[in-house]
């Protein structure tokens, strides 16, 4: 199907393009004074340069060479307790790397009732003999060989792309348990390679599952166990270049497999940025952001992914979807981009995206505010949102998360620094009367030109003061954002000592924020007790993004599972109850993590039966053979 429709669509596009070229040919002229309007890179072909910048890419084809196969992030980076019983963070990649964390052990043991004597180490090496042999579609494989597109049915390659980062997925891998995994991994190098792969999949009835950064926390990458066809993981990581930068229109056209840190680094070389920084930006891909409707920590200035996208190219079984115009806005019926964004790999593969870019900000400043309690902190964030004066990022931690963050504070290098920290604590608790068990902290990030940033900073701190907030310094703010990129490594440490945990999120109207935070945390504690968890769980939250009409709330919960025969089942029951509580309190099914297979049971009540029918009709038209058969969403 894709072959016939795709080739017809291609010839139509070529005809229209030639016609338009004839019309505008007489208007073209060289840039005035040698100005560069567009910086372009040719599409990749055999023997061509990998990219114009020469920067080494984060994601190699064999990801297992640099990343963990059964945990988060880089193989050389992890939290551990050393021989002295001190916590530290290994490797050299992060600001926290090589540092001692003197408070983490006491916090860990007192919070969870855990002991360093009770250890549950992960399976260190994948046992290839435990991997089921691939189910190959020989006709598909033979034709794929003739295209020259790289592919593999190596056990390690297949296992690496069989999962995201849900608790149950990582827990199973640590124990060496494997379910259904892809049979083949294929690495397209450009859009045209994807077109060939999809055409072959349609011809031979092969199931395709797109794979970007692999950071999903919605079971979106799990292979459906009932799928009997050969499953091919389409890994977009080698489609990782900026194809052009348009400096007049401030847009960049980018291959969708690029991960966030590479995208920002390459744009920075030309003096630009997207400003899109989700917590997973080190490893998550542009295509994944589009497919899940992602949000970044600096969305107050730069917007969410739906605000940044100008143009999308996606390959489907019916052919290629793309608009003919890259204008900033159109009135041409329902926006087809909104069928693509959030489609979670069910309709096709996003191959190229044109996005808005901005000059790298001249000045950046961190900050933090401590509030007497969470209620006053939320009231401050509401007022900041109402006045539309939010900084690039403003995030509010509850008291439990504040204590958690304090436990991650590195060992100070001097007695003087330690003395100053003590004075700050004394000032806040004794002279200002803040209760250590109720106070909470907001972290701030300002960006722009220096004068505006300083004015903006004063405005926000003035508002905070009206709600009892005290400025708590740049260091606390900067450390809060630095921890964003290492906090995901903590779950692996917990699982080494019988502690399992996870995060989940929602969006909610302002008048429900306090209720949802209180009720969901209480529900988690109650459910854990009812399910036989012997130690009180950690249940904590933070407000991470603010809007005119509401906010995004992130929940974290974890517990010591010693004494439980099936801890993952208990965890899933508790999380399910927490999600029910969120929906009952007026929260959304998801703010930015997406639905996947984990949350799709609630889709009908979330978008209505008619809404679900609309989504299914799009799926039926674009993919009647269910080639993109990951079974997410619907």
């Amino acid at each position: 199907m894709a072959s016939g429709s795709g080739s017809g669509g291609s010839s139509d596009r070529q005809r229209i393009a030639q016609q338009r070229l004839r019309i505008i040919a007489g208007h073209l002229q060289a840039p005035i004074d040698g100005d560069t309007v567009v910086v372009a890179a040719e599409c990749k072909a055999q023997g061509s340069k990998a990219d114009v910048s020469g920067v080494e890419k984060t994601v190699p084809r064999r990801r297992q060479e640099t990343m963990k196969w059964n945990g988060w992030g880089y193989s050389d980076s992890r939290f551990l307790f050393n021989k002295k019983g001190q916590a530290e963070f290994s490797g050299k990649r992060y600001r926290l790397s090589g540092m001692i964390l003197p408070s983490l052990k006491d916090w860990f043991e007192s919070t969870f009732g855990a002991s360093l004597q009770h250890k549950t180490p992960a399976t260190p090496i994948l046992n290839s003999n435990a991997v089921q042999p691939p189910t190959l579609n020989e006709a598909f494989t033979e034709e794929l060989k003739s295209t020259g597109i790289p592919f593999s049915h190596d056990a390690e390659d297949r296992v690496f792309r069989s999962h995201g980062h849900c608790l149950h997925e990582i827990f199973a891998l640590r124990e060496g348990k494997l379910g259904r995994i892809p049979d083949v991994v294929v690495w397209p190098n450009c859009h045209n390679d994807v077109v060939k792969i999809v055409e072959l999949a349609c011809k031979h009835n092969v199931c395709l599952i797109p794979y970007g950064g692999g950071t999903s926390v919605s079971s979106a990458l799990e292979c459906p166990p009932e799928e009997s066809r050969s499953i091919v993981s389409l890994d977009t990581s080698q489609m990782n270049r900026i194809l052009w930068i348009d400096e007049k229109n401030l847009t960049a056209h980018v291959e969708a497999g690029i991960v966030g840190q590479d995208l920002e680094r390459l744009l920075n070389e030309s003096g630009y940025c997207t400003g899109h920084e989700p917590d997973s930006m080190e490893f998550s891909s542009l295509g994944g952001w589009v497919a899940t409707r992602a949000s970044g920590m600096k969305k107050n200035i730069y917007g969410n992914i739906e605000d940044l996208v100008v143009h999308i190219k996606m390959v489907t079984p019916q052919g290629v979807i793309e608009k003919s115009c890259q204008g900033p806005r159109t009135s041409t019926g329902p926006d087809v981009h909104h069928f693509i964004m959030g489609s979670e790999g069910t309709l096709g593969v996003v191959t190229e995206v044109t996005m808005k870019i901005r000059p790298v900000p001249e000045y950046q400043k961190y900050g933090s505010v401590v509030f007497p309690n969470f209620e006053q902190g939320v009231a401050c964030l509401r007022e900041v949102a109402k006045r539309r004066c939010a900084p690039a990022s403003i995030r509010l931690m509850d008291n439990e998360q504040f204590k958690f963050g304090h436990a991650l504070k590195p060992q100070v290098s001097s007695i003087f620094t330690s003395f100053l920290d003590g004075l700050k604590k004394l000032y806040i608790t004794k002279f200002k009367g803040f209760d250590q068990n109720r106070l909470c902290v907001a972290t701030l990030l300002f960006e722009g030109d220096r004068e505006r940033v300083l004015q903006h900073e004063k405005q926000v701190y003035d508002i905070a003061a009206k709600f009892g907030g005290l400025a708590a310094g740049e260091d606390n703010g900067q450390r809060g954002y630095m921890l964003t990129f290492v906090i995901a490594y903590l779950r692996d440490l917990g699982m080494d000592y019988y502690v399992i945990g996870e995060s989940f999120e929602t969006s909610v109207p302002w008048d429900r924020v306090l209720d949802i935070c209180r009720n969901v945390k209480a529900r988690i504690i109650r459910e854990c007790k009812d399910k036989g968890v012997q130690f009180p769980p950690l249940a904590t939250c933070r407000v991470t993004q603010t809007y005119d009409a509401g906010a995004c709330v992130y929940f974290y919960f974890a517990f010591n599972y010693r004494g439980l025969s099936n801890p993952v089942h208990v965890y899933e029951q508790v999380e399910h109850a927490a999600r029910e509580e969120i929906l009952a309190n007026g929260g959304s099914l998801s703010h930015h993590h997406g639905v996947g297979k984990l949350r799709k049971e609630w889709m009908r009540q979330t978008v209505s039966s008619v809404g679900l029918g609309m989504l299914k009709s799009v799926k039926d038209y674009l993919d009647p053979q269910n080639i993109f058969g990951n079974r997410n969403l619907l």
Side-chain angles (χ1 to χ4, degrees), residues 244 251-254 308-311 326 352-356:
W244 49 254
T251 55
H253 192 64
V254 188
L308 287 164
V309 164
V310 175
H311 186 266
Q326 297 204 12
E352 295 174 11
V353 179
T354 305
M355 10 178 9
K356 300 172 188 175

Side-chain angles (χ1 to χ4, degrees), residues 59 63 209-215 221 233-237 256-257 259 283-288:
V59 185
R63 298 182 189 225
I209 297 182
Y211 186 96
T215 59
L221 294 170
S233 175
L234 194 156
D235 185 329
T236 61
S237 62
V259 296
F283 308 113
S284 57
S285 69
L286 172 57

Side-chain angles (χ1 to χ4, degrees), residues 178-337:
L178 303 171
R180 180 76 160 95
I181 69 171
D183 302 297
V184 178
V185 179
V186 61
W187 292 273
N189 281 308
C190 63
H191 167 82
N192 290 337
D193 283 356
V194 176
V195 171
K196 293 173 187 175
I197 293 165
V198 174
E199 288 178 348
L200 289 178
C202 292
K203 179 178 178 181
H204 299 289
N205 195 24
V206 163
C207 176
L208 296 178
I209 297 182
Y211 186 96
T215 59
S216 164
V217 286
S218 65
S219 301
L221 294 170
E222 282 186 305
C223 297
E226 66 273 22
E227 180 57 74
S228 59
R229 297 174 295 177
S230 182
I231 297 177
V232 176
S233 175
L234 194 156
D235 185 329
T236 61
S237 62
Q238 305 311 296
M239 297 167 55
N240 52 28
R241 298 185 315 155
I242 297 172
L243 297 177
W244 49 254
I245 294 173
D246 184 333
E247 296 183 310
K248 285 288 174 86
N249 292 309
L250 285 180
T251 55
H253 192 64
V254 188
E255 291 179 317
I258 196 167
V259 296
Q261 62 172 307
D262 286 343
L263 175 59
E264 291 304 294
R265 184 168 60 228
L266 293 175
L267 284 173
N268 288 173
E269 289 178 358
S270 299
Y272 299 104
C273 67
T274 68
H276 186 70
E277 295 184 10
D279 290 1
S280 62
M281 72 168 289
E282 286 181 285
F283 308 113
S284 57
S285 69
L286 172 57
W289 300 342
V290 170
T292 58
R293 292 180 61 87
S295 178
M297 68 177 84
K298 298 195 294 189
K299 71 95 196 161
N300 293 333
I301 289 180
Y302 301 99
N304 291 316
I305 194 66
E306 65 270 22
D307 306 305
L308 287 164
V309 164
V310 175
H311 186 266
I312 302 172
K313 187 183 287 188
M314 183 169 83
V315 181
T316 79
Q318 289 282 18
V320 177
I321 300 176
E322 61 177 325
K323 295 181 181 180
S324 63
C325 169
Q326 297 204 12
R329 186 181 186 275
T330 61
S331 177
T332 51
D335 191 340
V336 295
H337 283 171

Side-chain angles (χ1 to χ4, degrees), residues 88 91 146 369 499 531 538 564:
E88 61 178 271
S146 69
V369 180
V499 174
K531 300 293 185 296
L538 173 71
L564 297 177

Side-chain angles (χ1 to χ4, degrees), residues 105-140:
K105 176 177 176 288
D106 288 344
W107 176 87
F108 183 71
E109 290 184 330
S110 62
T111 300
F112 298 109
S115 169
L116 301 195
Q117 306 307 311
H118 300 133
K119 196 165 184 183
T120 52
T123 302
I125 300 172
L126 173 65
N127 178 9
S128 297
N129 294 327
V131 179
Q132 288 290 323
T135 300
L136 298 178
N137 182 311
E138 297 294 346
F140 171 84

